[in-house]
Amino acid sequence: MRKVLQIVFNRIFVTALIVLMQVMFFIFVIIRWSSHYVEIAAVLRMLSLIVVCYLIYKPTNPAVKLAWIIPILVFPIFGGILYLAFGHVFISKNLRKNMQMADEQMRKNIPENGDIQRELRVKNETIANQFGYLNTFSGTTVCKNTKTMYFSDGLDYWKQLLQDLDTAERFIFLEYFIIGEGEMWNEILKILEKKAAQGLEVRLIYDDFGSVLKLPKQYEKYIENKGIKCVAFNKLIPLMSIILNNRDHRKIVVIDGKIGYTGGVNLADEYINYETLHGYWKDAGIRLNGEAVWNFTVMFLQMWNITRPTDEDYSLYRCRFEEQTGGRGYVQPYGDTPFDDETVGENVYLNMIGYAKKYFYAFTPYLIIDNEMNTALKLAAKRGVDVRLVTPGIPDKKSAYWLTQSAYVNLLESGVKIYQYTPGFIHSKCVLCDDEAAVVGTVNFDYRSFYHHFECGVLMYQTETIDELKKDMEETFAISEEITLEWCRKKVMKLNVIGPILKLFAPLF
């Protein structure tokens, strides 16, 4: 039954079903008005032509344009209508207003940290520019006095999170893509209930589509009845104009403004291997204690005010650190939104690939990349950088797995090294270069993360966790299968026939 439900509520299945229903509706209309078929068809073809012209001039990735233009031209009668229903994001006036106000509030509350930026520029101008880029386009700032703790496993992440939640004294904010009933979430919920009963302010944001298979309908009302403020982000309403693409894929925890978390770990039992779905589930997370947590606090409040606008004073949630936390290096949590023309998540990775002189390592569950990322990885390998990517050995979705593997040959031929995580599914989203800079966050190497989702991450330079992340990566290489061109030649059908066809429509996955 579970597998049936997974198929029924799969994003692609739901979208395809709704597309089919609408196609049938339009066919019925045309048949019903068959005497006017020529006029109706002419109008629909004209609409498709207008949509194609719009896509040509739209400032977005050419691969995304092509993935829509081809089906529109192949099916000109229905293509334009389908794009308007599923490809073009209509943002209501109220939502646009809420987003603008929330963004203004965020930028007002996170001013540029000029002293640290100047200090960084003296140390390393290239890295300073990277942090400066995030300040300009993400609205967050680089911080010091922040201790970082890296988790190479979801279970360790969860155990530490439970301890920190239990010590909360003022407020708790949580924002997750997936929440699922089970031991992991139930233990967290017990603490949240206890803290809410003690008078602490507790808020929860979860993505409605991400949790559709995991939670009962109207779960946010159930949570609110426990004294916890709750928002189900972008509620799933599969009607004519749906926005299934733009999900809240972020994972953020803020405790008293002192402690913050992010990473790949969602709040469901497979993330701590209490439930085995795809072999061993490997994930990663990062814990912050110090000044940089303020970035996460404001990012959470920004998302909250997009969904449930309030005129609140952000500074009430800021922690003033009287003493040094013991952390070293520079830390900058940042976010990315799909509702602008800046692909911050992808650009951070591109900048780090360009910065790398010795090596660039990455964990990603999906390798469904555009030409810019593909070219950057190959050029880095060609100039002598040791480029290594780790992808899953056991897939969670076959289509995404085949798309990931279809990228192998082109990268391998340029000298990029690819490893498949033999024990199971790697869900970590981490990059590391030259023993100096790293990112741990929620951003996958795929179109969904780069273009469609709300995402977040933590950029770090010379922090105490760099060595821990490198150790984890080296240990992961050792237990993974290194992919060769010979291995690829044995997958002719999947890599050379199915892969290229899927790749054409990869931006829609």
Side-chain angles (χ1 to χ4, degrees), residues 270-289:
E270 62 265 34
Y271 293 88
I272 55 174
N273 286 289
Y274 277 31
E275 182 179 8
T276 303
L277 299 178
H278 314 290
Y280 186 85
W281 190 291
K282 178 172 174 55
D283 223 318
I286 193 82
R287 176 186 184 269
L288 309 181
N289 179 15

Side-chain angles (χ1 to χ4, degrees), residues 309-473:
T310 58
D311 184 20
E312 57 189 341
D313 183 359
Y314 285 20
S315 65
L316 295 175
Y317 302 97
R318 183 162 193 172
C319 177
R320 305 291 178 179
F321 290 86
E322 303 296 334
E323 300 177 358
Q324 293 294 313
T325 63
R328 60 182 174 87
Y330 303 83
V331 182
Q332 187 168 7
Y334 62 91
D336 190 13
T337 170
F339 295 144
D340 60 21
D341 296 323
E342 194 69 24
T343 55
V344 171
E346 181 179 28
N347 289 343
V348 168
Y349 290 167
L350 288 172
N351 286 341
M352 289 191 69
I353 294 168
Y355 171 75
K357 299 177 181 64
K358 298 176 182 177
Y359 71 83
F360 176 87
Y361 298 160
F363 289 161
T364 179
Y366 313 111
L367 189 62
I368 307 172
I369 52 178
D370 57 19
N371 184 65
E372 288 81 357
M373 181 59 68
N374 187 64
T375 301
L377 291 167
K378 292 193 298 182
L379 283 176
K382 287 177 180 178
R383 72 171 186 265
V385 176
D386 181 11
V387 180
R388 303 188 191 186
L389 311 174
V390 182
T391 63
I394 299 175
D396 67 334
K397 294 182 281 286
K398 283 291 179 67
S399 57
Y401 190 55
W402 293 344
L403 269 168
T404 291
Q405 293 182 337
S406 71
Y408 287 176
V409 173
N410 191 246
L411 292 169
L412 289 169
E413 288 176 340
S414 298
V416 175
K417 297 175 183 176
I418 299 172
Y419 298 80
Q420 286 194 165
Y421 180 64
T422 306
F425 185 73
I426 185 165
H427 192 251
S428 310
K429 305 95 165 49
C430 308
V431 302
L432 172 68
C433 70
D434 295 351
D435 296 343
E436 291 184 337
V439 173
V440 178
T442 69
V443 185
N444 299 318
F445 280 70
D446 67 5
Y447 285 92
R448 304 215 65 81
S449 280
F450 292 161
Y451 293 94
H452 300 312
H453 286 164
F454 291 88
E455 302 282 0
C456 67
V458 179
L459 175 63
M460 296 170 282
Y461 178 65
Q462 294 183 342
T463 64
E464 57 269 27
T465 54
I466 298 289
D467 291 341
E468 296 172 29
L469 177 55
K470 185 177 182 182
K471 180 183 177 184
D472 180 33
M473 288 185 156

